């Protein structure tokens, strides 16, 4: 009896290993065959971390959340064999955006790091820059006009800050946030860091094309960002924000959520939806949420929570 029981246990564990291997193979072939771009707003609690993955498993990570919780998320969404992150963009040097970077630099080969060069003397941030230099990460200061080709069809353009911030001291680091537009054919995303309404006003005045299908809502849904004029020019179909469950800042703000509701803009939020995955072929954007699918490989199971055509 005991022998039979052990044999069943053995078969079960072999099956488990096979399933794990097969799901890995599926993900590899999925990553290689389809031409999709995924943009994932990772649920890292009260902070921001966005993972952009191109069709050939190129990764751009925008911010790294407050702590090491981002590591489990990267392990979940990046192919198991991939230990390179082509580009990390730090929107601004606040801990809830760079806190996870220290561990990422230890575990992954980060090729390039974009910062603004704004002055931030905190020990945590200074240590991070030192560590990046020691790891020979190529650090670059960026501002409006910088464009990165993630893939021949996929561009990420920096739209803010409007001017170089090298050695510039600001009173509110949120105002120094990198704002970027991600474009894959017809699909567009606007990433805003923690930019304030003051930044929004300055950007609107540039008359740049800031329209986007998906708006990563600024500053965890704070009431001092995402003004009505901003929503007029971005004109998103979907908003997505990252905030920690029951956070002490009261993010996201109720009035802000009402602004989206009144305009009929669908909102996703990490405190309720978990990770939010946008998957697009350059035309249709399918939205998957961790809470709805309960499974994290996009496109592998379940119907999208929402579709943008
Ligand atoms: Zn923040």
């Amino acid at each position: 009896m005991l022998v039979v029981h052990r044999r069943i246990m053995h078969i079960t564990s072999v099956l488990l290993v096979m399933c794990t291997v097969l799901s890995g193979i599926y993900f590899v072939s999925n990553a290689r065959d389809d031409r999709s771009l995924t943009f994932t707003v990772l649920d890292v609690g009260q902070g921001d971390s966005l993972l952009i993955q191109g069709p050939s498993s190129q990764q751009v990570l925008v911010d790294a959340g407050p702590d090491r919780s981002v590591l489990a998320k990267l392990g979940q969404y990046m192919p198991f064999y991939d230990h390179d992150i082509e580009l990390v963009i730090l929107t601004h040097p606040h801990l809830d955006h760079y806190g996870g970077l220290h561990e990422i630099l230890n575990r992954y080969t980060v090729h390039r790091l974009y910062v603004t060069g704004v002055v931030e003397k905190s020990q945590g941030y200074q240590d991070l820059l030192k560590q990046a230099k020691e790891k020979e990460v190529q650090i670059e200061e960026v501002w409006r006009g910088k464009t990165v080709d993630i893939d021949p069809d996929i561009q990420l353009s920096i739209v803010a800050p409007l001017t170089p911030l090298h050695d510039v001291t600001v009173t509110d680091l949120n105002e120094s946030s990198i704002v970027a537009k991600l474009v894959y054919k017809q699909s567009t995303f606007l990433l805003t860091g923690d930019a304030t309404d003051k930044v929004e006003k300055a950007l609107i005045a540039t008359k740049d094309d800031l329209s986007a299908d998906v708006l990563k809502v600024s500053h965890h849904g704070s009431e001092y960002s995402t003004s009505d004029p901003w929503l007029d020019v971005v004109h998103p179909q979907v908003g997505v924000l990252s905030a920690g469950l029951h956070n002490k800042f009261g993010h996201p703000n109720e009035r802000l959520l009402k602004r989206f509701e009144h305009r009929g803009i669908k909102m996703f939020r990490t405190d309720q939806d978990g990770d939010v995955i946008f998957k697009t072929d350059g035309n249709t954007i399918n939205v998957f949420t961790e809470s709805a699918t309960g499974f994290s490989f996009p496109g592998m199971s379940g119907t999208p929570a929402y579709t943008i055509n």
Side-chain angles (χ1 to χ4, degrees):
M1 195 62 191
L2 193 66
V3 175
V4 174
H5 184 70
R6 271 195 189 146
R7 196 160 284 168
I8 290 169
M9 291 272 286
H10 180 70
I11 292 167
T12 314
S13 53
V14 167
L15 279 173
L16 264 174
V17 169
M18 278 174 69
C19 285
T20 312
V21 170
L22 281 172
S23 64
I25 290 167
Y26 177 89
F27 191 66
V28 173
S29 64
N30 187 38
R32 281 184 186 159
D33 293 348
D34 84 32
R35 290 282 307 151
S36 63
L37 167 77
T38 59
F39 168 67
T40 306
V41 180
L42 302 170
D43 176 16
V44 289
Q46 184 65 15
D48 256 16
S49 188
L50 320 169
L51 178 64
I52 299 163
Q53 293 202 86
S56 311
S57 294
Q58 313 94 323
Q59 282 89 20
V60 177
L61 184 72
V62 182
D63 294 331
D67 52 36
R68 51 184 294 127
S69 62
V70 67
L71 285 180
K73 298 292 180 183
L74 294 182
Q76 201 174 339
Y77 291 110
M78 282 175 61
F80 67 89
Y81 55 83
D82 190 349
H83 298 283
D84 291 68
I85 299 176
E86 279 70 16
L87 172 63
V88 172
I89 299 176
L90 178 60
T91 60
H92 64 297
H94 271 159
L95 188 64
D96 59 325
H97 295 250
Y98 75 73
L101 259 183
H102 169 69
E103 287 292 338
I104 288 174
L105 288 173
N106 279 339
R107 295 180 191 219
Y108 289 87
T109 303
V110 173
H111 295 225
R112 281 180 294 165
L113 172 65
Y114 284 0
V115 293
T116 61
V118 74
V119 172
E120 167 55 11
K121 295 197 170 112
S122 68
Q123 198 58 50
Y125 184 58
Q126 289 305 317
D127 287 349
L128 179 73
L129 289 178
K130 193 170 159 237
Q131 185 192 7
K133 279 174 198 150
E134 281 165 8
K135 298 267 180 192
E136 295 181 347
V137 179
Q138 197 187 316
I139 304 174
E140 199 178 326
E141 293 179 1
V142 296
W143 62 94
R144 183 189 182 202
K146 175 85 185 176
T147 299
V148 190
D149 291 327
I150 296 175
D151 182 269
D153 290 327
I154 304 169
Q155 277 80 38
L156 185 77
S157 307
I158 309 292
V159 296
L162 291 175
T163 52
L165 292 181
H166 178 75
D167 269 349
V168 172
T169 302
V170 294
T171 45
D172 179 3
L173 283 171
N174 291 335
E175 283 173 10
S176 72
S177 284
I178 290 175
V179 177
K181 187 168 173 176
L182 175 66
V183 178
Y184 179 23
K185 296 178 186 168
Q186 304 302 314
S187 301
T188 48
F189 303 81
L190 194 68
L191 324 180
T192 55
D194 283 357
T196 60
D197 50 4
K198 201 170 148 187
V199 176
E200 293 167 1
K201 218 172 163 182
L203 279 173
I204 293 167
T206 64
K207 304 255 192 302
D208 281 356
D209 177 12
L210 299 164
S211 63
D213 300 312
V214 177
L215 171 66
K216 198 295 290 179
V217 174
S218 179
H219 202 188
H220 323 289
S222 147
E223 65 173 314
Y224 305 109
S225 305
T226 323
S227 58
D228 276 310
W230 182 246
L231 285 176
D232 287 342
V233 299
V234 180
H235 200 64
Q237 294 190 51
V238 167
V240 58
L241 65 85
S242 176
L245 193 62
H246 309 307
N247 67 79
K248 61 181 178 188
F249 307 100
H251 292 153
N253 176 267
E254 273 307 319
R255 282 187 294 274
L256 172 108
L257 293 175
K258 283 272 179 297
R259 290 211 284 276
F260 279 78
E261 210 180 298
H262 285 149
R263 287 166 184 260
I265 306 168
K266 176 78 182 162
M267 176 71 92
F268 291 96
R269 42 193 283 194
T270 58
D271 58 343
Q272 293 181 351
D273 298 307
D275 303 330
V276 183
I277 303 156
F278 298 84
K279 185 174 180 178
T280 175
D281 58 3
N283 290 303
T284 304
I285 305 173
N286 284 316
V287 190
F288 300 87
T289 64
E290 192 182 10
S291 59
T293 61
F295 195 69
S296 304
F297 288 156
M300 201 163 168
S301 73
T303 44
Y306 197 81
T307 297
I308 307 169
N309 284 305

